[in-house]
Amino acid sequence: MTDKIALHYIDEALLVAEKPAGVLSVPGRLPENQDCVVSRLQRDYPDALTVHRLDQVTSGLMLYARGKVMQIALSKQFEQRQVSKRYEALVQGLVEGESGEIDLPLICDWPNRPKQMVSFELGKPSLTRWRVLARDVAAQTTRVELEPVTGRSHQLRLHLASIGHPIAGDVMYDAQPASRVCLHARRLGFVHPLSGVPLEFVSECPF
């Protein structure tokens, strides 16, 4: 039996789950890519529906709706940028400065998909805020907190690579190989669609 997905929270409206690194958020096209977080959740909670996605390589907090009405309500919060998301990453090199923004337009690199690329002509506006948490001079790595203001595919991964600090293990974006891509969805905040109460969840970083 495939491993169960750990839950941080559950009620009649939604689930907050812990996505393991290496597991798809949603099913892929091929038969061998049907195992994913939502299909595992649906074994116990058949009404669980996807609201947002994380890359297969990323671990951390994911929000799932219970039923179509809740899916629409929660999706609207993402679309209107009312959801607070914070990621933790370990990147190669020693990042200069303590905080900043990366504002580079992104588009799919079609011949090399799912890879994305920066394109000032065709890319969609993409903004990431970053803040240094710690530096390891001996290992030549920096631990950063990331806030994706927009939610483009591979945004955090490509933005960091584009400033010369690819996420550790992210060979797709020219990092050195590692046991995993060191990107974790650490904090997730949103408003409960039924009660209107703000909720925030934190997942400890596993690397």
Side-chain angles (χ1 to χ4, degrees):
M1 193 66 168
T2 316
D3 291 347
K4 278 197 173 189
I5 299 296
L7 294 181
H8 288 259
Y9 180 85
I10 178 170
D11 66 16
E12 73 276 16
L14 57 91
L15 303 162
V16 178
E18 178 82 18
K19 178 190 171 302
V23 179
L24 291 166
S25 294
V26 296
R29 288 194 186 93
L30 299 173
E32 61 267 30
N33 291 334
Q34 296 308 294
D35 177 43
C36 61
V37 177
V38 73
S39 65
R40 293 187 193 185
L41 287 172
Q42 286 171 345
R43 287 202 297 259
D44 293 319
Y45 310 101
D47 57 353
L49 296 173
T50 300
V51 176
H52 66 122
R53 301 179 186 190
L54 293 177
D55 287 350
Q56 184 173 5
V57 298
T58 307
S59 57
L61 295 166
M62 288 196 74
L63 173 60
Y64 288 87
R66 299 193 70 181
K68 193 69 186 171
V69 173
M70 292 300 104
Q71 185 185 39
I72 292 167
L74 291 167
S75 295
K76 196 172 289 183
Q77 290 191 44
F78 278 89
E79 288 161 17
Q80 296 173 353
R81 298 182 188 169
Q82 296 168 340
V83 177
S84 170
K85 294 174 284 184
R86 296 292 185 279
Y87 291 72
E88 192 167 319
L90 193 65
V91 303
Q92 291 184 184
L94 300 176
V95 176
E96 290 183 17
E98 295 308 310
S99 63
E101 293 186 346
I102 306 167
D103 186 357
L104 293 169
L106 305 181
I107 191 170
C108 184
D109 182 359
W110 281 104
N112 301 301
R113 64 182 184 271
K115 200 171 182 181
Q116 308 290 308
M117 65 181 186
V118 174
S119 171
F120 290 97
E121 295 77 33
L122 302 171
K124 292 180 178 177
S126 307
L127 178 64
T128 300
R129 296 190 179 118
W130 59 267
R131 180 172 69 89
V132 169
L133 299 173
R135 293 180 180 87
D136 186 333
V137 177
Q140 289 289 296
T141 57
T142 306
R143 188 172 291 272
V144 291
E145 180 186 75
L146 302 167
E147 178 191 358
V149 179
T150 50
R152 310 294 177 207
S153 182
H154 293 194
Q155 176 178 315
L156 300 177
R157 299 165 63 187
L158 179 49
H159 270 176
L160 286 158
S162 68
I163 63 165
H165 296 286
I167 294 173
D170 196 359
V171 292
M172 180 179 284
Y173 293 105
D174 301 322
Q176 297 298 314
S179 59
R180 61 161 290 178
V181 176
C182 293
L183 180 61
H184 182 70
R186 189 168 182 271
R187 299 178 82 94
L188 185 65
F190 56 93
V191 173
H192 194 284
L194 294 179
S195 68
V197 173
L199 299 174
E200 184 173 71
F201 299 91
V202 178
S203 166
E204 286 308 309
C205 189
F207 50 80

